[in-house]
Amino acid sequence: MKRPRKPKERDIVLKNIQAVAQVLSAEGLNPDVSEGAELAVIGVLGKLEPDQAERLTHHIATMPGVESVKRVSTPYKLVSREYRSETTTIPVNGVSVGSAQLLVIAGPCAVESTEQLERTALAVKEYGAKALRAGAYKPRTSPYSHQGLGEAGLILLGDLRRRCGLPIVTEVTRIDQLPLLLDKADVLQVGMRNMDNYELLRALSRIRKPVLLKRNVAATTDQFLHAAEYVARGNPHIILCLRGILGIQGLETRAQADLDAIPLLKQKTHLPVIFDPSHAAGRADLVAPLSLAAIAAGADGLIIEVHPDPANAISDNEQQLTFEQFGALMQGVKAVAAAVGRTV
Ligand code: PEP
Ligand code: MN
């Protein structure tokens, strides 16, 4: 449905939307109205009898204001481009993620101390990062590796947020962490290991804060979008994050950078897509070139690990950048962004 420009037109369009919604409700269906800048989309989920679908399609197509009636053929609905053709934008600290402006999130792998967070926040903010990342709950491959500071780490993040003015991106691993996380953090990250944790995804569909959903190393893009669909059933604020997938064993990188999935996902979904070169490469020297490639391929932002002293970091010490390396990377990101019509 075309969106109105003048107040009177707006009344007419609202009436048109209501009329379509009433027809759907009368059939026992649940219409879901979402208004974009140009069009209003009225979505209907669920199974319809074939003749009912046919009848409704014809009826609604002839109603006033209706531009077209489409059947969404993808198995995921709400997150598909077929459902919504305009890219969704998600506000994070003045950046509309998904617009021409890129979001750069930077910070240490794990929360270690107030000093570590504070120094990193000041440095990355200075170089243009718009959000701070740091994990308080750390799902690690080995049970003998550092498992994160947990609640104590979240409290440090919450204190820092007030002082440094950067929003906090941090990982959620269990539903019972949500009350404290919602209080202390701004964007909740679902790590690649939890992409298939459907109970957690369902719980995140009930919150109002943005969710940064990472692709599992062994998931197809369709499986990734199904995971996003769980969240989208109640919470439209989803940022997809690619972080490398399983490649040939014995390669010199931690994962294989799934840069092809950036343009692929952009065809399939209206959700913004960012890239994590740190976990894809697993080594600091490849983080900058992969970042530039991701921006050139159309990514809406980056999430990068930065630490005051990477060699002595408590986790992921081979892939974290020094402040200077991050500063140099941001110069390159700005240049490539300008070349592809984006800003940082
Ligand atoms: C992280 O970002 O800290 C992390 C653990 O990433 P991933 O889930 O992609 O391995
Ligand atoms: Mn890490």
Side-chain angles (χ1 to χ4, degrees), residues 151-223:
E151 286 190 10
L154 276 188
I155 289 163
L156 292 188
L157 281 172
D159 288 347
L160 179 87
R161 172 170 64 166
R162 275 190 284 114
R163 279 181 284 122
C164 80
L166 281 182
I168 304 294
V169 180
T170 196
E171 184 160 350
V172 54
T173 58
R174 290 196 321 265
I175 296 173
D176 63 280
Q177 296 159 352
L178 281 175
L180 193 60
L181 274 164
L182 290 174
D183 187 39
K184 306 291 181 197
D186 303 280
V187 176
L188 302 197
Q189 175 178 324
V190 177
M192 72 93 176
R193 294 164 181 83
N194 275 309
M195 190 208 90
D196 307 301
N197 183 340
Y198 301 123
E199 283 308 317
L200 181 62
L201 299 178
R202 253 194 281 270
L204 293 171
S205 78
R206 296 190 286 269
I207 70 166
R208 288 178 171 272
K209 293 201 169 175
V211 173
L212 190 155
L213 178 65
K214 289 187 140 192
R215 179 188 187 180
N216 183 288
V217 284
T220 63
T221 53
D222 277 7
Q223 286 164 342

Side-chain angles (χ1 to χ4, degrees), residues 241-271:
C241 179
L242 298 165
R243 44 82 70 225
I245 50 172
L246 285 182
I248 300 163
Q249 292 303 306
L251 274 186
E252 290 164 84
T253 53
R254 178 167 173 168
Q256 200 140 26
D258 44 352
L259 293 164
D260 56 344
I262 299 169
L264 199 56
L265 283 171
K266 296 238 142 214
Q267 288 171 17
K268 294 180 173 201
T269 177
H270 54 83
L271 295 175

Side-chain angles (χ1 to χ4, degrees), residues 47-62:
K47 269 207 156 59
L48 301 181
E49 295 304 323
D51 59 334
Q52 186 190 20
E54 193 87 350
R55 180 169 47 75
L56 274 174
T57 303
H58 280 106
H59 178 37
I60 291 171
T62 59

Side-chain angles (χ1 to χ4, degrees), residues 33 39 84 140 142 147 169 203 214 223 227 264 268 304 310:
V33 180
L39 291 172
R84 186 170 300 151
R140 304 300 300 283
S142 164
Q147 303 287 307
V169 180
K214 289 187 140 192
Q223 286 164 342
L264 199 56
K268 294 180 173 201
I304 295 174

Side-chain angles (χ1 to χ4, degrees), residues 282-338:
R283 43 190 281 180
D285 60 341
L286 300 190
V287 169
L290 287 180
S291 298
L292 305 189
I295 300 305
D300 296 303
L302 297 166
I303 178 166
I304 295 174
E305 287 193 342
V306 180
H307 191 282
D309 180 11
N312 292 303
I314 205 160
S315 56
D316 284 352
N317 57 350
E318 288 181 4
Q319 70 195 36
Q320 306 208 53
L321 300 189
T322 61
F323 299 159
E324 293 68 29
Q325 286 169 328
F326 180 67
L329 177 150
M330 287 299 277
Q331 288 302 320
V333 166
K334 281 178 191 151
V336 175

